[in-house]
Amino acid sequence: MRKSIEERLEDIREDPQKLKRVFTAAWVVAYSMLILGAFIILAVIFTERF
């Protein structure tokens, strides 16, 4: 039987290894979005200026 979202979150909170993996994945995604946003902003600034 499939686990509900609540059960999956509970499993993640109880297992430190899974919690670390989820935290690392979330951090990498957030940091990647920050860098991508910076590149987009720089690209817009340089294309408008020149």
Side-chain angles (χ1 to χ4, degrees):
M1 192 174 231
R2 298 185 68 155
K3 289 184 177 182
S4 69
I5 294 174
E6 185 178 348
E7 290 172 337
R8 289 176 195 230
L9 289 175
E10 193 174 310
D11 287 346
I12 289 171
R13 284 189 203 115
E14 290 174 358
D15 187 5
Q17 194 69 15
K18 286 182 183 177
L19 186 61
K20 180 183 177 195
R21 200 174 312 137
V22 169
F23 177 79
T24 303
W27 189 88
V28 167
V29 168
Y31 194 72
S32 299
M33 290 176 66
L34 177 69
I35 298 299
L36 180 64
F39 281 134
I40 290 171
I41 290 170
L42 289 174
V44 169
I45 289 172
F46 282 119
T47 56
E48 293 293 321
R49 186 174 288 179
F50 299 116

